[in-house]
């Protein structure tokens, strides 16, 4: 029972990352019809927004360490702590979640620049050409990050209050089960972002127009609505979703320049399994495949089928597409002969 609960929780926080990236991919495909292979790079850029913001907050001054009396010793103290004391120390400790406020405008601008500067020229091109150009863009962004931040992973820590483990056993009436607090926070955060995206699309006038444009772009355009501009904003919002997913994932997995590629292929498989263009399908498939991958990583399972944790997502994708080519919740005719 303990192992089952832990694997479900592992799957939910990993599935949250898959679902957020897949949600952005689906938004872009559903509105613009573009297969964006640079979306994983946006996840990576979000993670490095957290890195850059943390480095900025921890700019330090070298001061004498008075606790060492045998010889002269020095230590680095962030200027924020020198200026504001405990308040400054708290700001430094909460650097990762505070990075959200930097990541939102930065990722929005990056998304709009990508769409206006490159993607819009490939709207009417084939999906193969879209994949090639966006994959090339992802490599360029990856190399830029590698140049400025280096090739090694850069570990970031969660706030001390959320860095420990929670006794989750009492939630399920079981004793002796603990789980990292930040992973629980990430799962809840992913649910909040997903709910915000769906609320935006379902409950606002802007979202209503976007949904109408996804269903019939030409008719909406004939009504005098500049649907192209609204779709550009949606591209920017999709970039924000991917960036926020990357920001909050940094304490779980240290950011590195190939982080986006690691998640891109898996998230694209999630989109295909959920159904191309289906937002609910992307979310459901993200959490489902995250849980399946988590259970496949059990030692008992790998002893029976070695390496199953590496291929389980692709096996599920093959089965789903053989049985239902449109995906679990895809629209009729999408990806069907």
């Amino acid at each position: 029972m303990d192992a089952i609960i832990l694997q479900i929780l592992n799957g939910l926080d990993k599935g949250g990352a898959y679902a957020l990236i897949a949600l952005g991919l689906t938004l872009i495909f559903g509105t613009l019809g573009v297969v964006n292979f640079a979306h994983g790079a946006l996840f990576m850029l979000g993670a490095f927004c957290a890195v850059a913001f943390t480095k900025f907050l921890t700019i330090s001054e070298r001061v004498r360490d008075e606790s060492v009396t045998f010889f002269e010793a020095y230590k680095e103290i962030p200027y924020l702590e020198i200026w504001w004391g405990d308040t400054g120390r708290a700001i430094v400790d909460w650097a990762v979640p505070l990075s959200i406020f930097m990541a939102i405008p930065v990722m929005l601008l990056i998304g709009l620049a990508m769409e206006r500067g490159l993607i819009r020229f490939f709207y009417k091109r084939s999906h193969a050409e879209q994949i090639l150009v966006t994959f090339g863009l992802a490599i360029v962004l990856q190399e830029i990050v590698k140049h400025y931040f280096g090739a090694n992973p850069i570990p970031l820590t969660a706030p001390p209050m959320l860095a420990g483990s929670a006794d989750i056993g009492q939630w399920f009436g079981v004793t002796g089960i603990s789980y990292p607090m930040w992973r629980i926070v990430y799962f809840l955060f992913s649910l909040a972002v997903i709910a915000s995206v769906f609320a935006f699309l379902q409950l606002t006038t802007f979202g209503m127009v976007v949904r109408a444009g996804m269903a019939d772009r030409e008719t909406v355009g004939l009504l005098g609505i500049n649907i192209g501009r609204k779709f550009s904003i949606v591209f920017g919002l999709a970039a924000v979703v991917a960036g926020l997913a990357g920001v909050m994932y940094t304490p779980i997995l240290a950011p590195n320049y190939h982080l986006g590629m690691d998640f891109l292929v898996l998230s694209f498989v999630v989109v295909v399994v959920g159904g191309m263009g289906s937002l609910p399908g992307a979310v459901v498939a993200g959490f489902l495949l995250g849980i399946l991958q988590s259970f496949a990583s059990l030692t008992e399972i790998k002893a029976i089928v070695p390496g199953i944790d590496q291929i389980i997502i692709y096996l599920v994708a093959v089965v789903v597409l053989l049985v239902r080519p449109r995906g679990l919740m895809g629209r009729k005719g999408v990806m069907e002969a």
Side-chain angles (χ1 to χ4, degrees):
M1 182 64 182
D2 296 5
I4 292 175
I5 293 174
L6 288 174
Q7 293 307 317
I8 290 175
L9 290 171
N10 282 333
L12 287 176
D13 73 64
K14 187 178 293 183
Y18 294 159
L20 288 176
I21 301 174
L23 187 64
L25 275 167
T26 304
L27 269 174
I28 293 171
F29 181 81
T31 55
L32 304 175
V34 174
V35 182
N36 181 23
F37 257 60
H39 204 70
L42 296 175
F43 177 81
M44 178 265 297
L45 289 175
F48 278 94
C49 279
V51 171
F53 189 69
T54 301
K55 285 182 177 292
F56 174 74
L57 291 183
T58 53
I59 295 175
S60 305
E61 181 180 1
R62 190 166 178 262
V63 299
R64 176 80 181 271
D65 189 349
E66 300 296 341
S67 64
V68 179
T69 58
F70 298 103
F71 55 90
E72 286 192 0
Y74 295 87
K75 60 182 179 180
E76 299 286 335
I77 299 181
Y79 281 108
L80 284 177
E81 187 175 350
I82 295 173
W83 297 337
W84 296 339
D86 291 341
T87 301
R89 179 72 258 173
I91 293 173
V92 172
D93 289 341
W94 287 79
V96 170
L98 289 175
S99 302
I100 290 173
F101 298 103
M102 170 191 174
I104 289 175
V106 169
M107 295 307 301
L108 181 62
L109 290 175
I110 290 174
L112 292 174
M114 283 177 58
E115 193 276 336
R116 288 289 85 190
L118 180 65
I119 304 298
R120 68 188 181 98
F121 298 108
F122 289 84
Y123 286 163
K124 297 182 179 180
R125 303 285 189 92
S126 66
H127 289 327
E129 290 177 289
Q130 293 171 358
I131 290 172
L132 285 173
V133 73
T134 53
F135 187 75
L137 177 60
I139 293 175
V140 170
L141 293 174
Q142 177 178 288
E143 291 303 313
I144 291 174
V145 168
K146 181 181 178 182
H147 174 75
Y148 284 103
F149 292 94
N152 296 323
I154 304 174
L156 296 181
T157 57
M161 186 183 299
L162 303 173
S165 297
D167 183 10
I168 62 171
Q170 58 183 350
W171 304 350
F172 303 97
V174 180
T175 59
I177 301 179
S178 60
Y179 194 74
M181 182 69 76
W182 187 258
R183 288 179 176 268
I184 298 173
V185 170
Y186 188 84
F187 168 62
L188 296 176
F189 174 79
S190 65
L191 290 183
V193 173
I194 290 168
S196 299
V197 171
F198 277 94
F200 175 74
L201 292 175
Q202 296 292 331
L203 304 179
T204 66
T205 302
F206 186 97
M208 179 187 67
V209 173
V210 168
R211 286 187 289 114
M214 291 172 70
D216 191 339
R217 179 170 181 163
E218 291 185 2
T219 300
V220 173
L222 291 174
L223 295 175
I225 298 173
N226 188 343
I227 193 64
R229 180 179 300 172
K230 294 186 182 299
F231 281 177
S232 297
I233 296 174
V234 169
F235 192 102
L237 293 177
V240 169
V241 171
L244 293 181
V247 166
M248 295 295 282
Y249 207 75
T250 51
I252 298 175
L253 182 64
N256 55 71
Y257 72 97
H258 55 78
L259 180 65
M261 291 298 183
D262 293 343
F263 274 85
L264 172 65
V265 176
L266 292 174
S267 299
F268 194 79
V269 172
V270 169
V271 171
V272 173
V273 170
M276 295 293 286
S278 171
L279 297 178
V283 174
V284 170
F287 285 112
L288 176 63
L289 293 179
I291 292 173
L292 287 176
Q293 190 178 43
S294 179
F295 275 100
S297 65
L298 285 170
T299 304
E300 295 83 357
I301 302 295
K302 291 195 290 184
I304 300 172
V305 187
I308 185 64
D309 56 320
Q310 302 296 321
I311 63 172
I312 182 65
I313 287 182
Y314 306 103
L315 289 177
V316 173
V318 169
V319 172
V320 168
L321 294 179
L322 283 174
V323 176
R324 189 178 174 84
R326 75 183 73 163
L328 295 175
M329 303 178 71
R331 298 191 302 271
K332 185 176 182 180
V334 178
M335 296 185 71
E336 291 183 320

